[in-house]
Amino acid sequence: MENHSFIEFKKERDLGAIINDTFAFIRENWKSYFSAIIKIAGPFILAGSILMVVILGYYLGVAGEMAGMVNSSNPNDMFGLMIPMFGWIGLMVVVFMLVFIMVSLTSLYYIKSYIENNGEVNIEDVKSNTYKNIFKFLGLGILIVLMIGFGAVLCYLPGIYLWVVLSLATSIMVFEDKSVGESISHCFVLIKEQWWNTFGVLLVVTILVNILGYAFSIPAMFYDLISGGTTIGSNDPTEIVKALNDPISMGLNIISFIGKFVLSSITLIASVFIYYDLNEQKNLTGTIEKIDSLGQ
């Protein structure tokens, strides 16, 4: 039986409709959707958030030590503090990519289950498909990062172009069950003559999601401002570092990171609407399915 609040994905939409339906989907399904994100990807999000706060605290500590060594006669002491930072950065990149993959997989397979069951989502299927395809998406994620990174080196513009094009890759892999190479090559087919429209939707949704994400940062910002204000007059930089690195501040920042990670999945929902819009323009998949269903 079809759900009366069911939102049809497989149809053409203009820019405004894609943005409206993205937030309409969240409004209608927020409880089930975010519950699935937290249940399946939550442990990874929590671990990633804790790691980011720990690394931030580590950097603050190193910054305090380096500030105290400005007049040191031995510059090797400062380099000795900087070298381990690169290892922490590498670890953070790996963990962040894993968190993004888990959130992406959960979000996309949630939508796939939603579409296949007319608005009813089987969470166990979502969980099973998410864990089953981690390594496949990891390969796709690494390749996308390398391509966008290489494009960014070439004066940024190629990187922006590839970011928009490759935003469709995850949807293609999930909804068409294609390989990594096929998903990437198909992105360029779908996006042809529609790059600017796609860029416009992604830009608007990204800005809106970032604005919403800042709401989670407000408690941490106020607390850091108040606690940091007590040491503003201090000439010892380590005192300021300690004020910004206490357990309450770390806890609030962990909550902030978790909120931002969860909200980032809204951009993925918009990318699915974009994918189906472009796919309908090129292949009329949704229209053909409706005709077939009428025939039955």
Side-chain angles (χ1 to χ4, degrees):
M1 185 171 146
E2 187 171 346
N3 189 339
H4 292 293
S5 62
F6 176 71
I7 296 176
E8 179 62 61
F9 277 80
K10 299 179 181 180
K11 68 178 185 179
E12 291 187 42
R13 289 175 168 87
D14 58 22
L15 186 149
I18 290 175
I19 295 172
N20 289 336
D21 285 347
T22 296
F23 288 96
F25 178 83
I26 289 294
R27 186 172 60 251
E28 294 288 339
N29 304 279
W30 68 271
K31 186 175 182 180
S32 172
Y33 176 77
F34 288 125
S35 175
I37 295 286
I38 293 172
K39 179 180 179 181
I40 299 172
F44 296 87
I45 296 174
L46 179 60
S49 300
I50 292 173
L51 179 63
M52 291 184 73
V53 171
V54 169
I55 292 176
L56 177 61
Y58 171 77
Y59 282 150
L60 289 172
V62 170
E65 291 185 46
M66 291 176 66
M69 297 169 61
V70 171
N71 298 321
S72 173
S73 59
N74 187 3
N76 290 330
D77 293 340
M78 190 172 295
F79 286 116
L81 289 173
M82 294 176 63
I83 290 173
M85 294 172 66
F86 296 104
W88 282 106
I89 291 173
L91 178 61
M92 186 172 65
V93 169
V94 172
V95 172
F96 182 79
M97 183 178 292
L98 184 59
V99 171
F100 178 76
I101 287 171
M102 290 302 299
V103 172
S104 299
L105 283 168
T106 305
S107 178
L108 293 171
Y109 279 111
Y110 179 97
I111 295 172
K112 186 173 184 179
S113 179
Y114 175 91
I115 294 171
E116 291 176 347
N117 299 294
N118 293 321
E120 299 295 329
V121 178
N122 188 322
I123 298 298
E124 290 304 315
D125 284 348
V126 175
K127 184 177 181 180
S128 173
N129 286 320
T130 295
Y131 283 103
K132 185 171 63 178
N133 290 283
I134 289 177
F135 292 105
K136 185 178 179 181
F137 263 72
L138 181 60
L140 178 65
I142 292 173
L143 191 55
I144 288 174
V145 168
L146 291 175
M147 291 177 68
I148 294 176
F150 180 74
V153 171
L154 302 176
C155 204
Y156 290 104
L157 291 179
I160 295 174
Y161 172 78
L162 288 172
W163 166 65
V164 175
V165 174
L166 297 176
S167 66
L168 302 173
T170 53
S171 294
I172 292 170
M173 181 174 280
V174 168
F175 299 110
E176 298 188 25
D177 197 26
K178 291 184 180 293
S179 66
V180 172
E182 290 172 335
S183 298
I184 290 178
S185 62
H186 194 51
C187 288
F188 292 90
V189 175
L190 283 183
I191 204 84
K192 188 177 180 180
E193 299 179 356
Q194 297 293 330
W195 188 91
W196 282 107
N197 290 335
T198 305
F199 173 72
V201 174
L202 290 176
L203 180 63
V204 172
V205 173
T206 300
I207 291 173
L208 292 174
V209 169
N210 284 334
I211 292 172
L212 292 173
Y214 280 121
F216 288 94
S217 302
I218 292 175
M221 290 171 59
F222 272 108
Y223 181 82
D224 290 342
L225 182 63
I226 294 171
S227 60
T230 60
T231 56
I232 287 178
S234 174
N235 293 322
D236 185 0
T238 59
E239 290 299 320
I240 299 177
V241 171
K242 290 178 181 178
L244 297 175
N245 202 25
D246 67 87
I248 297 177
S249 176
M250 292 180 68
L252 292 174
N253 278 293
I254 288 172
I255 294 172
S256 172
F257 284 126
I258 290 174
K260 289 177 179 179
F261 277 130
V262 172
L263 285 178
S264 68
S265 63
I266 296 177
T267 308
L268 291 166
I269 299 172
S271 71
V272 175
F273 279 113
I274 293 170
Y275 159 73
Y276 274 114
D277 169 60
L278 298 178
N279 189 56
E280 193 65 20
Q281 292 182 43
K282 297 287 194 305
N283 303 314
L284 297 175
T285 304
T287 303
I288 293 173
E289 288 182 1
K290 287 180 180 178
I291 293 173
D292 289 342
S293 64
L294 289 174
Q296 293 173 359

